[in-house]
Amino acid sequence: MLRNSFYKTSRQLPNVLFRSLSSASPNNTTLIIGGGPIGLCTAYHLALSSPGSNITVLERDPTYARASATLSAGGIRQQFSLRQNVQMSIYGRDFLRSAHEILRVDEEEVDVQFQERGYLFLASTDIGAEVMRRNHQVQVGEGADVKLLNCQELKEKFPWLNTSDILLGSYGETGEGWFDPWILLRALKWKCQSLGVTIFKGYPIGASRDSDTGQLLSVDVIEQYDGKELSKKYNVDNVVNATGAHCARLMEILAGEKKLMHPIPVEPRKRCIFFFHCATDQKDIIVPRIAPLTICPISNVYFRSEGHVEENGEATGNFLCGVSPTKEKDRAVHDMTDIDYADHELWDEIIWPSLYHRVPAFGEVKLKSSWAGFYEYNTIDQNAIIDFHPEIPNVLMACGFSGHGLQQAPAAGRAAAELLASRQFQTIDLEIFSFDRCYGKKPPVFELGIV
């Protein structure tokens, strides 16, 4: 359970989810811009810590039709090389396991459909295997349930897997898998509102800053309701930038005429997901009944089962898959219409050949559908930024997660709430994700051997 989580950075944390944050002031006015997982988790933790606080969440699209979270594969894993990322995802794991209890409002049931089917990383070179072993030491040292499997063990556990070129595998036996992002967002929204958080549909258009300190004094927004638009000014003590792939643009709006010396190095990029069906009646070929989210070692193509499958149920033959574009084609995307379609050359040229090589049963597949979404890409080191901006010191940035935001949202929201309340981390020490590494004051922090 989340309330019994354990972290080396803060030792035992009894009732961590419900513990008040030190120095939280009920009089502070906090505007959270971005009502996705990060923004709502920040509001949730802040509202819990300081009942009666003035917390407002501003979300441009409450349907989440183009939200990164709802267009993602909804995965969570603890297989990282940085212990802080492992710790954040362990917190997220426990949050999901406890969601039915902690996000319940009245008698409304909450089931985020958390399927702990695991992640499976594969190594095909000696160097890759050695990195996997080092990463494994970090992961189990932080309490992750991850097991290393040699080639024979992989064959026995996953008889449908081609292991002819594999040296080692790393499998999350529990705590890893996937869940329904939409259900989580809806439950977080209802819970936040029950705690007194105000949530509006709208977007910022400008801001006023103190000429001496650079702090934000107010934010001008357009609120939308019943097809009408209303201009409104929010006087603020703190602002949280939780706008994901669009966080750099928000900072430009908040900065106003005085441009930032240090803009956020995060840009929106496009990622595509493909849904395919595999024939389940193939002769002499084993079809995966339940496939963990498996990452192919050379192409970085991933795939996993889709849909709920009972432990002893029949194979559905339904799978999700995807891959990042090649370095030459991976670029910033600022036109919203670019995510109206998936890039099918990824399927034709990279994904399907890799799937067929890794799983012989995937020689008989039919592509059923596809979609695309935005991905918040930190161009410095593809890791989170959780810090106040040095030039606008009351703007807290919680962005740049580079594909890890959904799974790390509960921990990031907790961390953001702690910074807002006391200007320091209390649960997990995330100083490594400070903003000063983004302009050369500190070195970047990279993941090793992890997609």
Side-chain angles (χ1 to χ4, degrees), residues 261-418:
M261 293 176 58
H262 303 300
I264 300 181
V266 176
E267 59 188 30
R269 297 197 178 183
K270 182 178 180 177
R271 293 295 183 267
C272 305
I273 293 180
F274 300 87
F275 171 63
F276 69 93
H277 179 77
C278 172
T280 59
D281 56 353
Q282 300 181 50
K283 185 177 180 181
D284 300 327
I285 295 180
I286 301 175
V287 177
R289 188 171 54 81
I290 301 175
L293 196 150
T294 305
I295 299 93
C296 303
I298 299 173
S299 64
N300 282 334
V301 167
Y302 71 84
F303 64 89
R304 68 160 173 84
S305 293
E306 170 64 352
H308 186 76
V309 180
E310 298 295 337
E311 198 61 39
N312 297 315
E314 293 293 324
T316 65
N318 294 327
F319 299 88
L320 291 185
C321 65
V323 71
S324 296
T326 60
K327 188 175 181 180
E328 296 73 26
K329 295 183 179 181
D330 197 9
R331 56 182 177 83
V333 175
H334 298 288
D335 186 347
M336 294 292 286
T337 63
D338 279 358
I339 64 167
D340 288 343
Y341 58 91
D343 297 328
H344 280 260
E345 64 268 21
L346 290 173
W347 170 266
D348 296 329
E349 299 172 9
I350 302 175
I351 295 176
W352 184 77
S354 183
L355 291 176
Y356 183 32
H357 171 71
R358 191 57 54 205
V359 181
F362 288 167
E364 293 190 31
V365 300
K366 182 176 182 179
L367 185 61
K368 306 289 283 187
S369 64
S370 60
W371 60 91
F374 284 119
Y375 179 95
E376 54 174 317
Y377 188 86
N378 181 346
T379 61
I380 299 297
D381 56 19
Q382 296 81 65
N383 269 305
I385 301 168
I386 307 176
D387 198 0
F388 290 96
H389 197 283
E391 298 167 63
I392 317 179
N394 61 337
V395 172
L396 176 62
M397 302 166 289
C399 50
F401 291 85
S402 303
H404 310 146
L406 178 60
Q407 62 181 293
Q408 294 183 341
R414 173 82 195 189
E418 290 170 351

Side-chain angles (χ1 to χ4, degrees), residues 32-250:
I32 299 171
I33 304 178
I38 302 293
L40 290 176
C41 283
T42 300
Y44 166 79
H45 284 97
L46 194 58
L48 273 183
S49 70
S50 185
S53 293
N54 188 351
I55 305 169
T56 299
V57 176
L58 191 68
E59 168 55 38
R60 179 183 290 267
D61 177 20
T63 68
Y64 301 109
R66 292 177 176 269
S68 298
T70 54
L71 295 172
S72 74
I76 181 170
R77 57 182 163 92
Q78 290 81 58
Q79 293 190 63
F80 292 94
S81 65
L82 293 172
R83 64 181 180 83
Q84 291 86 352
N85 278 332
V86 179
Q87 291 167 347
M88 291 179 78
S89 287
I90 286 177
Y91 190 99
R93 174 201 69 189
D94 293 348
F95 191 95
L96 293 175
R97 286 174 172 173
S98 304
H100 67 283
E101 174 189 355
I102 60 179
L103 297 183
R104 175 179 291 187
V105 177
D106 298 326
E107 297 303 315
E108 186 72 27
E109 292 293 327
V110 175
D111 181 3
V112 297
Q113 301 291 310
F114 185 20
Q115 299 189 55
E116 299 187 38
R117 302 301 192 184
Y119 268 59
L120 176 63
F121 284 83
L122 301 169
S124 59
T125 65
D126 290 333
I127 293 176
E130 180 54 33
V131 170
M132 184 174 284
R133 292 187 185 96
R134 292 201 301 268
N135 290 348
H136 179 258
Q137 291 179 346
V138 174
Q139 294 153 13
V140 298
E142 298 300 332
D145 185 13
V146 180
K147 184 177 181 180
L148 293 180
L149 303 174
N150 61 34
C151 190
Q152 183 58 39
E153 291 170 325
L154 285 169
K155 288 180 180 179
E156 293 173 358
K157 190 166 187 64
F158 308 107
W160 41 264
L161 188 70
N162 173 18
T163 60
S164 61
D165 56 350
I166 298 301
L167 300 179
L168 190 65
S170 180
Y171 174 58
E173 295 201 296
T174 63
E176 297 190 330
W178 49 91
F179 58 97
D180 191 319
W182 167 248
I183 296 177
L184 177 65
L185 282 169
R186 184 179 62 180
L188 279 167
K189 185 175 181 179
W190 287 348
K191 186 65 177 183
C192 285
Q193 290 174 320
S194 76
L195 294 172
V197 175
T198 301
I199 302 177
F200 280 114
K201 178 182 180 182
Y203 55 92
I205 57 173
S208 298
R209 296 170 61 189
D210 185 287
S211 58
D212 295 324
T213 66
Q215 286 203 148
L216 281 183
L217 302 175
S218 63
V219 179
D220 300 317
V221 307
I222 298 295
E223 288 185 0
Q224 299 169 305
Y225 182 75
D226 281 348
K228 299 178 181 179
E229 292 192 342
L230 175 67
S231 297
K232 190 170 183 179
K233 182 186 293 291
Y234 280 89
N235 296 319
V236 296
D237 293 298
N238 296 294
V239 171
V240 179
N241 183 347
T243 53
H246 310 289
C247 61
R249 173 57 186 148
L250 174 60

